Structures are given as C-alpha cells and as structure tokens.
Amino acid sequence: MASVTISNVGKSFGTMSVLHNINIDIENHEFVVLVGPSGCGKSTLLRMIAGLETVSSGEVRIGERVVNNLPARERDIAMVFQNYALYPHMTSYENMSFSLRLRKRPQAEIDQKVRDAASTLNLLPFLDRSPRQLSGGQRQRVAMGRALVRDAQVFLYDEPLSNLDAKLRVVMRTEIKALHQRLKTTSIYVTHDQIEAMTMADRIVVMNGGRIEQIGSPLDLYDRPANLFVAGFLGSPSMNFLKGQMRRSDRQAFVETEGGMWLPVSPDAAAREGQPVICGIRPEHIAISGDGGVPATVEVVEPTGPNIEVFISLAGQSASAVISERRTFRPGEEIALHWLPEHASVFDPETGQRL
Amino acid sequence: MNLSAGFKPLAMILPGLALAVLIIGYPIYDLGYASLHEVSRFGQFRGLNGLTNFRDVFQDPLFYGSLIRTVIWTFAVVGGTLALSLPIAMMLNEEFYGRGLARVIIMLPWSISLTMTAVVWRWALNGRAGLFNATLMDLGILKEPIEWLGEAHQAFTVEILIGILVSIPFTTTIFLGGLSALPQDSYEAAAVDGATRWDQFRHITLPLMKPFINIAVVLNVIYVFNSLPIIWVMTEGGPANGTDILVTYLYKLAFRFGQLGKASAISLIMFGVLMVFTIIYVLLVMRGEAGADAEE
Amino acid sequence: MLKKSLLFWLILSPLVVVILFPFGVMFVTAFRPREELFTYPPTWTFSEFRWANFAEMWVKTNFGRALLNSLYVSVLSTVLAMILSIPAAYALSRYRFPGKRAYRTFLLMTQMMSPIVLVLGLFRMMVTLGLVNTLNSLVLTYAAFNMAFTIWMLQSYFSTIPRDLEEAAWIDGAGHLTSLLRVFLPLAVPAMAVTAIFGFINSWNEFVLALTMIRSSDGFTLPVQIYSQVAGRYQIEWHHVMAATMLATLPVAIVFSWLQRFLIRGMALGAVK
Ligand SMILES: Nc1ncnc2c1ncn2[C@@H]1O[C@H](COP(=O)(O)OP(=O)(O)O)[C@@H](O)[C@H]1O
Ligand SMILES: [Mg+2]
C-alpha cells in the first residue's frame, strides 16, 4: 500500500488541454473520491495514474516512485472499469486469476486467493460461468474480484457502479466501503454522483472543467463550500442562491434582496456594506412557520416520503425548502422562513468564491 | 487508449501500404509514361510522341462505339440492379417463412466467379442445344429457337440482364445492412401518426436509406464500368465489335493487336473517369462519417 | 404470416428461377452422356448419371493442375493479405496517428481501383520483375487488390472489441504482446477467419489478371482453364466444361452461403458506411 502524489499535473490531447495544474496528495490507506460533472477530466486523471494515458506535464508518484514513464503493468495498481472490461472468453475464475497466472504464481496460491476473493464477494457459485452468463451485479463483483486478488498498492475505480440499478448501487456502495475499511488499500474512486462521493470518501476532490475546485472531507465541503460550484454541486436538492446586497448592523449581517427582504447570514462573511453578494442556504436548513421570519409564497409541493420539498418564491427569486414534519401546504399560501445565520454562506457573484 | 503510440501505428500500416503503392501506383506511372510514347508491339519504347496516342484514340470510331455502349451498359445494369435490389432487400428484411433460404438463393450468384456464370449462360443460351430455348418452347412462349448471342443488339441486351442478375446480391447486401440499422421506433411513431405503408416508405425508409443508395450507386457504377468477364466470355465483344465496351476493347488492343501506346491512352482515360467516381465515393463515405462523428 | 410468406415467395419466384436456372443447366449437362448433348430439341431429362464424365474431364481438362494452381494462388495471396492487413487494421481501430485520414482515403481509393484499368501496366511491371507467367505474380497482385477490403472489414470488426479489455490486461500485468495474444486475438479470430474466407473467394474467382499474367496452360487457374475450354474452340466438350464448372463452384458456393450473414453484419458495422 502506498501514497499517491500528483504534482502540477496537466494533460492535453493534441492542442486541446483538458487538465490544468492538478495537485493532490493522497495518503496511505486513504479513500479519495474524484467527483465532478461528466467531461471534467476525472477519468483522464485516473487513467494517468493507472498508466493508460501519458502525463503531459507535472509528476505522478506512487509511494516514493515517480511513475510518469512506467508502463501500467509495472505500477502495481488494480483498476475496476466502468464497463467492467471482463475478458469475455474467460470464466469468472479465469478472469480473476489472470493477473496471478501472468505472474506465474503457484497454482495453490492462485486457487487460494481467487477463492478468498470470491467468498468475500459471494461469487463462489459463479466461478465457472462466463461473463455472458452473469447478471450486471455479478459482473461488477467479478471486476472487483479481479482487483482484489492482486494485493495491489492502489485500487482505482472508474464509475464502477454507474451501470447498476439504483438499489444495487446503494448496496455495492456500502460493500466497497466496508471492504476498504477491512483492507485499507489506498483507493481512488471516480464518480459523477455526489451522493456516492459524500457517502464513501475520506476526502473528496471536486473537479470542474479540468481544474480542482476544492479538496476536503465530505462534511467540510458540505458545510463550508469554497465557491458557488462546490456549493451547488454537493447536496440534493441543491443549495438555494439568492442575489442581494450586503447589510451589516451591530453583530448581525444580512443580505438585502431587490424586493427589500433582509436575509440573515453569518456575520463572519468578509463582505463590505453594500457589496453585491449571493446568499447560499441549503433547503434542509430552512424551517417554515406561519409568521415572523422571511416572508415567501408556496408554489409547488413535492412529498418524497421522509421529507417534503416545498418550492417557494422569495422576493421574486425561486428557492426550495425541505422539511421533515408532516404538514400541508397550498400553492399560493403565504409562509415565513427561518434559518440560523451561520448556516447561510455568502459568495462573491464576480469570482464565485466564498466570502 | 491514447498511448504515446509514436511510430508504432505507422510501422503497422507501412508494409501493406508499400505493397499497395507498388502494385497499384507503379502501373499508373507506367501507363502514363507509355501513353506519351510510341510503343512497339513487343513493348519497346520508341521515343516520345506527345499526344499522338490520345489523338489516335479520339479518331477511332470503334472507341466511340465502345464508349457509347459502356455508358448504356453501365446505366442499364446499375439502374436495373437498384430498381430490383431495394424491394428485394426490404422483403428480405421482414420476417417470413423461408427467409433464410431466400437470402441464400439470392446471394448465390455472388459466390460464383463471373467467368463461370458467363460460361454456363453461354451454353444455356445456345440456339439449338441450349436449355433456355427448349424451356421457353416447352412453356409455349417461343415457337422457334432463337440464336440469342448471334446478333449484337440481342446479345448485348442478354449480357445486360445477366449483369443485373450478378449485381443484385452485393447491392441487396448493402441495403440489408442499411435497413437493419433503421430505427424501428420511427416506424411505430409514423404508424401512430396514421401513415400508410407507402407513406412510411416515402417519408422514412427512402430518406434514411439515401446514404446507402448513394453508395450503392457509386460502387455499382465503378464495378460495372470495369466488368470484363461477362461480355468477354459470352461474345468477346463480337459479333463485329457490336458488344464491345471500353474494357473489352482495351483488352483486345493491348493483348490481341499489340497497340500498346493506344491501349495505355485508353487505360488512362478510363482511370480518369474512375477517379471522378472514386472521389465522389470517398466524399460520400467521409460525409457519412462526419455525420456519425457529430452524433457521438 | 403465412399469407405474407406466400406473397413474398411469389414475388421473388421469377428471380429465384433465373438464379437457379444456370445451376440446373450445369447439373444436367455435367451428368448427361455425351451422345445426348446435341439432341434436338434438348431436354432436362437424361438417360443415366454418367459419373465417368467427371473422371474424363479431370484428365482431359487438366483439372487437377488448375485446381492446385488456384489453391496455391488463393491461399498464398490470402495469407499475404491477412499478414499485412491485421496490423494495419489494428492500428486503424486502436491508435490516432498523423496521416490517418489520408491513409483511410487511400484505402477507399484502392478499394475502387480495378485490375482491368491497370492490367497493361501491371503486365509490363511483371515483365520487368521477371514474374510473368508465374503464379507468384498473381499472389502479389491479388493480395494488393484484396487488402483494401480486408483491412476495412477487419478494422470494423476490431472496433467492436472494447479497448478497455486490453487496458485491463495491461493493468493485470500483461505486456503489449501478451495482451494481444491472450486477450485480443482470441476475440478477433472469428472475424479474421470470415475476412480471410472472403478474400480467398475473391482470389479464387478472379479472371482478368489470371488470363493476362499466365501465358502457358500449365499455370492456368480454374476460371482461366475453364474459359480456355470454350474460347476459340471449334468443338466444345460442354459436358466436360459443365462438370468442371460444377466442381469449381459448388464448394465455394456452399461456404459462401454459410458465411453471407457475416458479410451483411460487416456492412452494417461500417464496412461500407
Ligand atoms: N483520447 C482522447 N482524445 C481526445 N480528447 C479526449 C480523450 N479522452 C478524453 N478526452 C476529452 O477530455 C475531456 C475529459 O474527459 P474524461 O476524463 O473522460 O471526463 P470524465 O471522466 O470526467 O467524464 C473531455 O472533454 C473529453 O472529450
Ligand atoms: Mg469518465
């Protein structure tokens, strides 16, 4: 097991530059998730770590070794592919044992390792089947098993769950996390699904347009997003953004909207009086009552089961709130909103950065 | 898999490329050279004679006769083939009892060398001994046996029909490839919108098949324009040069009459015509690919 | 369904009859005793299956020799074309490289080049190379003219084999050669076999080049040998000609019938598109 260090890494395909100045330090045993919208360069970065793409600039290190020019097979990594990449002409057993056979391990050891991995993954009954005869979930497990038998330094995952149905995805998510807690192999996991990122990661790397937006633990990122992109990307339903101007009085701070509504925000925000800003408040941080607070109008109500999502209009801007108590709302109903000032972040509309 | 592949892919295509350039490139150069020289019937060059060979060609009435027949031959065979192949492909694309067998039978002429097909037909069409006349007479369609290949017009017509017959399998295959890629849901949507079978054909099948029809036209034009064996085996361009097309005339000039300079000139003229069609084909293919790339 | 099937067969029947007609003629002529060849009016029936026709034909038309020549030329040219095409098709389906577009255009163009237009130049080239009247001249030219088709066909099949299988093999510890041999090749073999068989059939049936390059009858391939039995002869032994034609075409026709669906698939995959 090893750390992975990515320093000043850039990548271009021909003249098109897709990754710019990427720096990530991944510690031994860490589970790091790269998350971002599709096309932002996550797979490319992962494939550079794997040795499937060349590194255009900068340095990739696994442990102490610079691996920029090392072929994939010498990097001692294992990878789970999005489409599993199972060898169609081999059985599950042969798929899982392929790497060991290439390394000419003794037959007894191969057998032992494959069976161990298979029992961990509940694959024992399927070892003689070819990938064609397996369900999507079973194929995914064989792909995992292929990585597992390796005792590799680093596990790489490229959206391994995106081809599974929603239920199975949740199950596998937990299994992969449990597996990591047991084996503690350094893992880098690529996904575009922010829930996967939040639930699985020790640390999340949020990427956008070939750049890193923020690195941090899931709750750090959730509570103190560094910019509008991270704030909007993490969390579902996503954060409300309301435009206005900064107002300060005593110890308190507010954002005044165009309609003259005063939204309480954290007084720590580094914004001048009168500066145009964006107030960000998560739907689940909003409480609804009959009066007091910020007045708003109910537009659409969507119960999701555990919660109710209320779409509202606030001084001509749209927002949403998620509440868990059972109560009924009528469209058009006048309501009042409350939240704790420290739950509301303030962003600079020019730069998108948190203030 | 965008490895720093370097020169590897070039090394992989190079040996094949070298053979193709040698076998296809060198003869073109040689023909160009020969067409500008006086050449003895044994192939010795006797000095530059400018465009004399080309002038000879353009003053030759047999050249014009062959040229006209080449145009007729190409248009008739390609037109007939397309007119028959699209409905055949559409039928073969539907489920029906014995479809597998029907496909095999219709593809059959493709597997057989044109030479052999022509030999068999030449025998079958024999005036007195051929089974074609005999069968027609048994059916009461003919009273007297006909010498099908004895007279130029008639022989040429027969050759065109056989040309169509042997071109159908290839064309049908292209169309079947195209039809199998048509989106089924547009038909369902059209049916829901109240389109009749004919509407569906006109407004869905035909427009969507257009790229395949274009390609089939160009490929067939090229193949038919260049096809020697049927006419060569059945009539050798005769009687009295009455079924000669450019390829048979060219072959006679080169390998019977030893007029190598003139034959080189005709080769080059044909090469030019072929180039025009080839460029059309390449543009069609590239356009299709550009469209496919844009969809990705 | 039944009604539709009957209707379709009815519409197709004239074509089916015309396609099968020459096979019928071939069959009844090949087996008929020589005396019954020129009876008038000719009939479809005949008095006995004269198997001896085939034995006579074999000797008289030097069939065995021509068969060997055809096999030699077709096998060797196919092997040569495949050896040159497989790496080229792999490069096309797997790598980006400078000049790729130009190379694909070149392939399309050579696919369109027909031997007949170049035949005079080719003949003169073979004279220069001292290859005229040798079967190897045909091996070289057939391979060159078939290559565009085989490369095109192979690359469209290769492109359906996912790249990440090879990548997975590298990560599993395989070198390029090992991943080619143990992962790519087993998956590509069926496509290669199909392509090779089509290349073989093309060579087997070729006429113009064989007619031109081979001057002495010892080197004739089957199409030329059969043609020489009917060309410029006073007396044509039609029963021998038909027996020879039948022997030369039937095996190929059977293999082809079995494989034709792969050709349609190849076209749908982009062999023509
Ligand atoms: N082999 C390639 N050649 C050219 N561009 C590529 C290649 N692979 C990826 N790209 C481009 O790089 C960008 C990042 O792609 P990728 O890493 O696959 O994104 P993600 O995995 O985040 O969805 C995209 O714009 C994509 O089009
Ligand atoms: Mg990706």
Side-chain angles (χ1 to χ4, degrees):
Chain A
M1 278 165 251
S3 60
V4 177
T5 315
I6 297 160
S7 331
N8 298 317
V9 162
K11 173 72 184 174
S12 34
F13 291 109
T15 56
M16 190 178 61
S17 175
V18 298
L19 285 174
H20 320 270
N21 198 27
I22 303 288
N23 287 289
I24 311 174
D25 284 318
I26 297 162
E27 283 163 31
N28 202 356
H29 307 311
E30 213 178 2
F31 195 108
V32 167
V33 174
L34 307 181
V35 69
S38 119
C40 72
K42 312 176 293 287
S43 297
T44 305
L45 182 56
L46 194 76
R47 291 163 56 82
M48 283 159 74
I49 300 168
L52 300 174
E53 301 277 3
T54 54
V55 179
S56 306
S57 63
E59 201 176 85
V60 176
R61 260 182 295 155
I62 298 178
E64 291 309 307
R65 252 188 335 174
V66 176
V67 295
N68 283 32
N69 295 316
L70 215 56
R73 69 169 183 283
E74 288 168 28
R75 294 193 184 192
D76 199 11
I77 37 130
M79 181 158 168
V80 180
F81 289 79
Q82 180 165 8
N83 297 312
Y84 315 142
L86 298 182
Y87 311 122
H89 55 303
M90 299 183 194
T91 62
S92 307
Y93 184 95
E94 289 165 336
N95 263 286
M96 287 163 67
S97 61
F98 187 62
S99 59
L100 300 173
R101 284 183 284 139
L102 285 175
R103 288 184 171 74
K104 306 231 173 353
R105 310 305 304 173
Q107 185 56 42
E109 179 193 331
I110 295 179
D111 218 51
Q112 185 60 41
K113 287 200 160 154
V114 172
R115 283 186 194 282
D116 282 353
S119 81
T120 306
L121 294 163
N122 296 323
L123 278 174
L124 282 174
F126 309 108
L127 283 178
D128 289 332
R129 298 216 191 152
S130 74
R132 235 192 348 262
Q133 301 164 310
L134 297 175
S135 72
Q138 289 161 349
R139 282 179 208 179
Q140 210 282 328
R141 283 161 196 271
V142 176
M144 295 274 304
R146 199 164 59 176
L148 229 51
V149 297
R150 289 273 311 279
D151 300 329
Q153 302 259 20
V154 183
F155 282 170
L156 305 175
Y157 301 84
D158 191 355
E159 313 220 10
L161 305 183
S162 62
N163 288 335
L164 300 180
D165 63 48
K167 268 222 170 78
L168 204 50
R169 196 151 35 189
V170 175
V171 174
M172 283 310 297
R173 183 166 96 192
T174 316
E175 281 191 24
I176 292 177
K177 190 168 178 175
L179 208 60
H180 177 255
Q181 281 167 3
R182 199 152 61 76
L183 300 175
K184 300 210 161 38
T185 310
T186 313
S187 301
I188 307 176
Y189 186 106
V190 161
T191 179
H192 65 268
D193 179 349
Q194 52 95 17
I195 298 188
E196 259 173 43
M198 290 294 292
T199 51
M200 301 175 81
D202 293 331
R203 265 194 313 156
I204 297 180
V205 178
V206 182
M207 295 178 60
N208 185 31
R211 290 173 207 282
I212 293 182
E213 296 281 354
Q214 193 176 3
I215 305 182
S217 75
L219 292 179
D220 270 358
L221 263 55
Y222 191 79
D223 292 338
R224 294 185 54 82
N227 53 46
L228 282 173
F229 179 82
V230 176
F233 190 79
L234 296 181
S236 167
S238 57
M239 189 183 264
N240 297 302
F241 295 124
L242 300 160
K243 289 199 284 276
Q245 287 181 334
M246 196 68 191
R247 296 282 174 247
R248 289 182 178 281
S249 66
D250 308 335
R251 294 265 157 69
Q252 293 179 302
F254 297 90
V255 169
E256 184 189 359
T257 67
E258 213 158 77
M261 221 83 82
W262 284 49
L263 314 175
V265 297
S266 161
D268 302 340
R272 290 172 281 105
E273 168 76 17
Q275 181 183 351
V277 292
I278 289 175
C279 161
I281 175 78
R282 294 205 179 273
E284 62 272 24
H285 288 152
I286 298 180
I288 299 179
S289 68
D291 49 21
V294 180
T297 316
V298 175
E299 301 212 309
V300 176
V301 183
E302 286 182 357
T304 58
N307 298 319
I308 300 173
E309 187 172 3
V310 188
F311 292 87
I312 52 193
S313 154
L314 192 162
Q317 304 185 52
S318 352
S320 75
V322 171
I323 57 164
S324 52
E325 78 249 42
R326 293 292 186 253
R327 62 161 283 205
T328 47
F329 297 94
R330 281 173 296 100
E333 184 179 337
E334 300 291 331
I335 52 173
L337 312 179
H338 305 263
W339 60 82
L340 298 175
E342 58 267 32
H343 278 151
S345 308
V346 177
F347 300 95
D348 183 337
E350 303 277 316
T351 63
Q353 295 301 312
R354 179 191 194 88
L355 291 170
Chain B
M1 180 149 52
N2 203 291
L3 297 153
S4 61
F7 289 103
K8 206 159 64 187
L10 293 178
M12 293 169 93
I13 62 172
L14 214 58
L17 191 63
L19 181 68
V21 168
L22 173 73
I23 300 284
I24 295 168
Y26 178 79
I28 297 173
Y29 159 78
D30 180 75
L31 287 170
Y33 190 81
S35 70
L36 299 176
H37 287 75
E38 195 187 339
V39 191
S40 82
R41 58 177 301 128
F42 304 107
Q44 274 112 11
F45 291 116
R46 295 230 183 88
L48 200 67
N49 69 354
L51 295 178
T52 315
N53 287 324
F54 287 93
R55 200 166 55 228
D56 283 354
V57 168
F58 287 118
Q59 283 169 353
D60 179 356
L62 286 178
F63 172 75
Y64 288 104
S66 307
L67 181 64
I68 289 168
R69 269 187 301 276
T70 303
V71 173
I72 297 173
W73 159 256
T74 308
F75 268 82
V77 173
V78 175
T81 303
L82 289 174
L84 289 174
S85 296
L86 189 56
I88 291 172
M90 287 173 65
M91 281 192 266
L92 292 184
N93 196 44
E94 304 247 334
E95 287 289 338
F96 66 94
Y97 292 120
R99 175 172 77 157
L101 181 65
R103 275 196 187 194
V104 166
I105 292 175
I106 286 168
M107 294 297 152
L108 215 46
W110 196 356
S111 65
I112 294 173
S113 122
L114 292 182
T115 321
M116 315 259 189
T117 308
V119 166
V120 177
W121 275 105
R122 179 167 153 188
W123 166 237
L125 291 169
N126 189 301
R128 285 184 65 82
L131 278 164
F132 190 69
N133 279 334
T135 308
L136 291 186
M137 281 158 67
D138 285 347
L139 295 174
I141 298 172
L142 277 189
K143 289 229 158 31
E144 287 290 299
I146 298 180
E147 199 58 68
W148 294 98
L149 303 177
E151 187 268 327
H153 274 299
Q154 207 165 308
F156 197 51
T157 311
V158 169
E159 285 163 350
I160 285 175
L161 291 176
I162 292 173
I164 292 174
L165 191 68
V166 298
S167 305
I168 286 177
F170 170 69
T171 316
T172 304
T173 302
I174 294 185
F175 288 161
L176 276 174
L179 287 170
S180 70
L182 290 191
Q184 203 51 47
D185 50 2
S186 9
Y187 287 93
E188 284 160 10
V192 172
D193 286 345
T196 63
R197 300 277 285 186
W198 171 245
D199 291 334
Q200 291 180 16
F201 175 75
R202 267 195 47 201
H203 298 294
I204 301 177
T205 310
L206 221 54
L208 287 177
M209 285 296 285
K210 207 169 149 221
F212 293 90
I213 295 174
N214 286 341
I215 297 245
V217 169
V218 181
L219 285 178
N220 270 308
V221 165
I222 292 169
Y223 292 156
V224 173
F225 177 79
N226 285 312
S227 180
L228 175 97
I230 294 175
I231 294 183
W232 191 257
V233 172
M234 291 181 74
T235 56
E236 286 200 3
N241 293 87
T243 59
D244 258 331
I245 60 172
L246 284 178
V247 282
T248 58
Y249 185 53
L250 161 70
Y251 201 83
K252 281 185 200 169
L253 279 181
F255 295 102
R256 288 259 167 95
F257 310 142
Q259 301 191 22
L260 300 184
K262 204 168 150 188
S264 301
I266 295 188
S267 292
L268 271 193
I269 293 168
M270 291 187 63
F271 178 73
V273 175
L274 202 55
M275 241 15 227
V276 172
F277 286 116
T278 304
I279 288 168
I280 295 175
Y281 170 72
V282 170
L283 289 179
L284 283 177
V285 171
M286 294 284 176
R287 202 175 61 187
E289 280 177 358
D293 286 349
E295 277 163 30
E296 274 177 16
Chain C
M1 184 79 165
L2 188 63
K3 227 175 80 185
K4 182 166 139 193
S5 305
L6 283 176
L7 180 71
F8 277 15
W9 275 105
L10 199 69
I11 300 173
L12 291 174
S13 60
L15 187 68
V16 168
V17 168
V18 178
I19 289 172
L20 293 180
F21 178 79
F23 287 90
V25 171
M26 201 156 82
F27 183 80
V28 299
T29 314
F31 282 108
R32 134 181 329 195
R34 187 173 192 285
E35 317 77 80
E36 293 172 28
L37 271 185
F38 287 93
T39 48
Y40 184 83
T43 55
W44 283 94
T45 54
F46 48 93
S47 59
E48 58 163 319
F49 276 94
R50 189 63 71 81
W51 290 96
N53 284 352
F54 285 84
E56 273 170 45
M57 174 281 289
W58 191 279
V59 178
K60 282 241 176 90
T61 64
N62 205 1
F63 190 89
R65 184 71 206 228
L67 181 68
L68 283 181
N69 290 338
S70 269
L71 279 175
Y72 176 88
V73 168
S74 306
V75 168
L76 247 60
S77 66
T78 306
V79 169
L80 180 61
M82 292 302 284
I83 288 176
L84 297 175
S85 301
I86 289 170
Y90 184 84
L92 272 180
S93 79
R94 289 296 193 259
Y95 298 108
R96 294 159 185 255
F97 53 89
K100 184 168 177 176
R101 226 186 134 77
Y103 178 61
R104 288 164 61 94
T105 311
F106 174 80
L107 277 182
L108 286 174
M109 291 207 160
T110 55
Q111 194 180 9
M112 299 302 97
M113 264 317 119
S114 87
I116 177 76
V117 171
L118 304 181
V119 69
L120 181 52
L122 277 169
F123 180 71
R124 294 166 50 81
M125 179 169 84
M126 290 303 166
V127 172
T128 316
L129 295 177
L131 287 176
V132 146
N133 208 14
T134 67
L135 291 173
N136 289 335
S137 66
L138 297 182
V139 171
L140 285 178
T141 43
Y142 289 179
F145 280 100
N146 270 341
M147 236 165 28
F149 168 80
T150 47
I151 293 177
W152 209 249
M153 189 93 176
L154 284 174
Q155 77 103 17
S156 74
Y157 275 104
F158 287 178
S159 302
T160 65
I161 299 174
R163 291 148 198 237
D164 56 11
L165 295 183
E166 284 160 87
E167 295 178 345
W170 299 340
I171 286 181
D172 271 348
H176 279 260
L177 191 65
T178 316
S179 85
L180 274 183
L181 292 180
R182 298 193 43 185
V183 174
F184 182 78
L185 212 59
L187 298 171
V189 157
M192 292 181 192
V194 171
T195 308
I197 290 171
F198 282 117
F200 180 93
I201 293 176
N202 269 346
S203 304
W204 186 261
N205 287 341
E206 204 283 336
F207 176 65
V208 176
L209 290 172
L211 181 68
T212 311
M213 301 295 174
I214 307 298
R215 313 312 292 178
S216 72
S217 63
D218 271 353
F220 283 175
T221 58
L222 281 170
V224 179
Q225 181 70 355
I226 287 170
Y227 169 72
S228 76
Q229 300 297 310
V230 301
R233 291 216 176 190
Y234 236 46
Q235 190 163 26
I236 302 173
E237 302 289 342
W238 281 109
H239 58 309
H240 289 164
V241 174
M242 290 299 126
T245 311
M246 210 170 125
L247 273 192
T249 55
L250 230 48
V252 180
I254 289 168
V255 173
F256 185 89
S257 304
W258 172 54
L259 287 179
Q260 43 101 9
R261 66 206 167 87
F262 291 103
L263 203 61
I264 294 176
R265 216 182 70 167
M267 300 254 173
L269 285 174
V272 156
K273 266 194 282 184

